[in-house]
Amino acid sequence: LRKMSQSGQAMAHLYVDLKPSSKYWDKRSGLTEEQWVQRLESTTTLYVGNLSYFTTEDQITELFGKCKGLRKVVMGLNRFKKSPCGFAFVEFQTHDQAASAVNLINAAVFDDRQIRVDFDAGLTDGRQFGRGETGNQWRDDFREDYDAARGGKGAGLLKRLAEDPSRQVYVGKRKIDDSAVPNKRHRGEQPRVKQQDDGRQLPASFGRSKGGKGQR
């Protein structure tokens, strides 16, 4: 009995570790941060990130269809080309079914990429399109590396300062806000903002990290 009890405690600890906790807030959703957090407690919608541009809706449907209650899949599209750009929204019939899908699929390797599955407050018109300058996601506009599964070489709209390599400057044409900051997704704090010579305001956290895991 003692062994069974210890085993049960280990399983309970494992479940707590797997239970997701999202701190992302989409300011353009029309919801306050408090309303967004409240929605997450009962939402049936999931966000799926770090997908290959070549992953199809049928593939995502097949993957999440292994979980009970799948209702629909909405592909994330390039705002201009209307082609897949590496993310999707997946809706289930109940919150519990959505939670099970997160626990089972988050961080899984799918189509040769480790994907991220997280709760989302709900899909509204326009959120299925990339918000970056190129029409893709900001993370692909910012990066400079080559990723064959995500459109090849990134747009490189963040350039390192020669006098301070730890910092980067946004060189694009569109005005950006906090929601585009790399790694902002899992941090609750507000970034400091510095004024650039050309008048654009950039969060001071630009350049500290370009990891894609914390971005949408």
Side-chain angles (χ1 to χ4, degrees):
L1 290 176
R2 185 176 181 180
K3 288 184 178 180
M4 290 179 65
S5 176
Q6 290 175 342
S7 176
Q9 290 176 357
M11 289 299 292
H13 177 68
L14 177 62
Y15 179 76
V16 171
D17 285 346
L18 286 173
K19 190 172 183 180
S21 177
S22 174
K23 294 183 180 179
Y24 174 74
W25 166 39
D26 185 351
K27 294 183 178 180
R28 298 187 183 181
S29 65
L31 301 174
T32 65
E33 185 173 9
E34 182 179 0
Q35 290 172 330
W36 179 275
V37 172
Q38 290 177 344
R39 289 277 187 93
L40 295 183
E41 296 177 357
S42 60
T43 187
T44 60
T45 303
L46 303 178
Y47 171 87
V48 186
N50 200 38
L51 292 168
S52 164
Y53 283 15
F54 302 105
T55 297
T56 67
E57 183 175 340
D58 287 343
Q59 287 176 285
I60 299 174
T61 300
E62 180 180 4
L63 175 65
F64 284 88
K66 298 181 186 299
C67 303
K68 293 183 179 179
L70 178 63
R71 178 173 289 173
K72 68 177 180 179
V73 173
V74 177
M75 296 293 289
L77 304 175
N78 178 290
R79 190 171 67 256
F80 306 121
K81 301 176 182 178
K82 302 301 185 289
S83 57
C85 65
F87 70 100
F89 294 93
V90 178
E91 186 176 329
F92 284 84
Q93 295 177 12
T94 70
H95 177 74
D96 286 345
Q97 290 169 341
S100 294
V102 174
N103 287 333
L104 289 170
I105 302 177
N106 181 41
V109 176
F110 176 57
D111 209 5
D112 296 325
R113 299 183 70 85
Q114 185 177 54
I115 62 173
R116 180 166 52 81
V117 183
D118 197 6
F119 287 113
D120 188 89
L123 180 61
T124 53
D125 189 45
R127 292 192 64 222
Q128 72 271 34
F129 298 117
R131 295 174 176 174
E133 186 165 309
T134 65
N136 291 324
Q137 292 184 289
W138 278 116
R139 57 173 291 189
D140 290 314
D141 279 4
F142 289 156
R143 65 180 178 83
E144 294 182 323
D145 63 344
Y146 185 87
D147 189 338
R150 291 186 68 95
K153 186 173 176 58
L157 297 185
L158 284 183
K159 299 296 185 183
R160 292 192 180 279
L161 295 174
E163 62 274 18
D164 185 357
S166 67
R167 298 281 182 164
Q168 290 173 294
V169 174
Y170 174 66
V171 296
K173 298 178 181 179
R174 288 187 60 199
K175 182 179 179 180
I176 59 178
D177 57 34
D178 295 353
S179 62
V181 179
N183 288 331
K184 179 68 165 62
R185 179 173 171 72
H186 291 296
R187 297 192 300 190
E189 73 274 11
Q190 292 297 320
R192 301 192 313 275
V193 178
K194 62 181 180 180
Q195 188 76 28
Q196 298 300 310
D197 292 340
D198 60 2
R200 288 195 292 267
Q201 285 190 332
L202 298 179
S205 55
F206 273 18
R208 293 180 184 172
S209 175
K210 295 202 301 175
K213 292 183 180 180
Q215 304 169 27
R216 274 200 176 182

